[in-house]
Amino acid sequence: MDPFDLLKPLEEQLKPYRGRFATFARLPETGRSRAEILAEIAELQSAEEQRWKAGYASGAVYHGGGEHIDFLNKVYALHSQSNPLHPDLWPSAVKFEAEIVSMTANMLGAETAAATDPDRRVCGTVSSGGTESILLAMKAYRDWARERKGITDPEAVVSITAHAAFEKAAQYFGIRLIRIPLDSDYKADIAAVRPAITKNTIVIVGSAPAFPHGTIDPIAELAALAHEHNVGCHVDACLGGFVLPWAERMGYPVPVFDFRLPGVTSISADTHKYGYAAKGTSVILYRGPELLRHQYFATADWPGGLYFSPTFAGSRPGALSAACWASLVSMGEEGYMGATRRILETARTIKEGIREIPELQVLGDPLWVIAFASDQLNIYQVMENMRSRGWSLNGLHKPAAVHIAVTLRHTQPGVAERFLSDLRAAVAEAKEHPEELTGMAPMYGMAAQLPSSMVNEILKSCIDLMFKA
């Protein structure tokens, strides 16, 4: 079988509107009426929103409450024309972003850090998402190490479960990744870190938690090693930054992972996940302006005038920053505590229910991002059986597994129970038809057997397919 034949079921999933709606491969000769366009967009929205609204999606939509969405949409509309690139026209954008950074920093230990070393106050910027936050941090470490330590062949020590954005950063910025295996609890194996550190190491990375299995790396130990060797320690808290501080306050077993640890020098935290902002914002924080300034871009020699930007983009949607600020301020500490409580209680129900299914095993002991595998069944067919029941879950590999990231959508009455009932049925179906492989199950299965280079080409063909009108 040609591996590229596996794209056929994917095409059906990605292009469900062919034949149902007009396709515009070229500009229409005359513009369509706005009323007609709005009606079509509303129809598309109606076709897509039910699954995530009803709590069938892992992650993806983290709040999703109608009043919250309406509120953010109103804020967005009020600032739809604003652009932080022009602070003279929109000083409100400056206010919003500075306060987003400060609120996030203080949530993540900035006050303790300032008390320890006032000259290295926690500072940062707003970015477009977790990937950009990670890219910015890695670029800053590369440039800092080149300037301060003369390192021209930079290396970063990362767990194998560190987000794929670190590999993207490595490809973009010429950084070599030194991969660290996991221990038996699905956390970065701290015993493998010290021998991985060399004279070219610029940063050690830990996740709080890691995306695949929802486990928190041993951040304190990683930070101590980084401090000992005078290298950076980046904590990827994109997924957990707006959950773990509140979980810790409620007495859950959350190890210290933030700027309270002297060795932690940067943290990424996504406001558009459990910060409940609109998609398109994240925060990247540094212990001190020296590192942050290596993130900036400025040029004084361009004929177009003096130009500077804090992140990769020039023009940016100020409306997203306004909506982010509005989300943080409207939620407040009490709102985040309540949301986190509901999520963790629901996750406990789901985790315990999965453990009661004999054919499945929960990987590690996660709080709310729950990965499960099977040594008896094809777990990807279980995932496909769940998809046929309306669920959108995340497939993992190395090892083969599936996870659900619990959100506020799952805390609605009956959703956890429905998930477990459907999961039991999906397992029974896979057990009854052990040879059956449908939908995306063959693609996941083959990906584990093919060379990575071929799988990468298939994935790039997926992107080609997405942009094919």
Side-chain angles (χ1 to χ4, degrees), residues 3 8 55 70 78 82 94 126 143 226 294 297 310 319 322 325 346 352 416 453:
K8 291 177 181 177
D70 290 344
L78 290 168
S82 71
V94 175
V126 174
D143 292 356
H294 284 89
F297 172 80
W325 178 89
T346 301
E352 290 174 353
S453 58

Side-chain angles (χ1 to χ4, degrees), residues 312-329:
F312 294 134
S315 290
R316 292 184 290 120
L320 286 177
S321 295
C324 176
W325 178 89
S327 182
L328 269 61
V329 172

Side-chain angles (χ1 to χ4, degrees), residues 62 89 147 239 293 309 313 401 407 445:
Y62 292 83
L89 290 175
E147 179 183 293
L239 198 53
R293 284 171 171 258
S309 62
T407 71

Side-chain angles (χ1 to χ4, degrees), residues 67-332:
E67 289 185 6
H68 187 74
I69 293 172
D70 290 344
F71 171 61
L72 296 189
N73 287 344
K74 288 175 181 176
V75 174
Y76 189 100
L78 290 168
H79 289 270
S80 66
Q81 301 307 300
S82 71
N83 182 353
L85 185 64
H86 301 284
D88 56 326
L89 290 175
W90 291 286
S92 60
V94 175
K95 167 186 167 62
F96 295 142
E97 294 198 339
E99 293 177 16
I100 291 166
V101 168
S102 183
M103 285 187 280
T104 306
N106 282 310
M107 182 183 67
L108 296 173
E111 290 184 358
T112 300
T116 305
D117 187 352
D119 294 331
R120 299 184 72 195
R121 62 178 180 82
V122 176
C123 49
T125 67
V126 174
S127 77
S128 64
T131 291
E132 187 182 9
S133 288
I134 289 167
L135 291 173
L136 289 166
M138 296 291 278
K139 184 263 184 195
Y141 283 115
R142 184 199 66 176
D143 292 356
W144 171 83
R146 184 168 55 202
E147 179 183 293
R148 293 294 302 272
K149 304 175 81 172
I151 294 175
T152 56
D153 298 305
E155 297 175 353
V157 178
V158 305
S159 162
I160 59 171
T161 52
H163 196 277
F166 289 100
E167 185 168 353
K168 181 183 280 190
Q171 291 184 24
Y172 282 8
F173 305 135
I175 299 169
R176 183 185 175 208
L177 293 187
I178 309 299
R179 304 279 193 178
I180 299 302
L182 304 181
D183 63 18
S184 58
D185 294 323
Y186 292 87
K187 302 173 183 178
D189 186 354
I190 194 67
V193 176
R194 185 181 291 275
I197 300 171
T198 73
K199 62 182 177 60
N200 288 322
T201 301
I202 62 172
V203 64
I204 299 170
V205 172
S207 303
F211 174 85
H213 313 119
T215 50
I216 302 171
D217 286 334
I219 304 298
E221 292 88 342
L222 294 172
L225 282 171
H227 192 264
E228 176 187 337
H229 289 83
N230 189 30
V231 299
C233 176
H234 179 81
V235 177
D236 176 19
C238 287
L239 198 53
F242 280 82
V243 174
L244 294 176
W246 318 112
E248 181 183 355
R249 287 197 192 185
M250 287 185 281
Y252 282 86
V254 176
V256 179
F257 69 96
D258 56 21
F259 288 111
R260 290 172 291 175
L261 297 170
V264 170
T265 50
S266 62
I267 300 177
S268 50
D270 279 2
T271 43
H272 70 190
K273 289 191 174 74
Y274 293 96
Y276 307 124
K279 279 296 179 186
T281 60
S282 174
V283 173
I284 174 64
L285 300 169
Y286 299 92
R287 186 188 296 269
E290 182 186 1
L291 265 174
L292 173 60
R293 284 171 171 258
H294 284 89
Q295 173 186 300
Y296 295 162
F297 172 80
T299 179
D301 300 323
W302 181 43
L306 302 178
Y307 185 95
F308 57 94
S309 62
T311 58
F312 294 134
S315 290
R316 292 184 290 120
L320 286 177
S321 295
C324 176
W325 178 89
S327 182
L328 269 61
V329 172
S330 67
M331 290 288 295

Side-chain angles (χ1 to χ4, degrees), residues 339-386:
T340 299
R341 180 177 292 107
R342 290 165 61 195
I343 287 169
L344 296 182
E345 288 173 354
T346 301
R348 183 188 298 118
T349 297
I350 290 175
K351 184 166 55 175
E352 290 174 353
I354 294 173
R355 284 176 171 153
E356 290 174 358
I357 301 174
E359 295 82 3
L360 302 180
Q361 302 89 42
V362 173
L363 303 183
D365 189 21
L367 282 174
W368 77 99
V369 181
I370 305 161
F372 52 95
S374 177
D375 55 13
Q376 301 177 44
L377 303 171
N378 185 315
I379 197 66
Y380 300 130
Q381 187 58 44
V382 173
M383 180 177 72
E384 185 62 25
N385 294 343
M386 288 293 281

Side-chain angles (χ1 to χ4, degrees), residues 3-4 167 171 179 397-398 443-461:
F4 287 88
E167 185 168 353
Q171 291 184 24
R179 304 279 193 178
H397 70 163
K398 300 181 180 181
M443 185 169 182
Y444 273 98
M446 190 171 287
Q449 303 171 29
L450 294 173
S452 294
S453 58
M454 181 175 290
V455 177
N456 288 342
E457 288 306 309
I458 294 173
L459 295 177
K460 290 175 182 178
S461 295

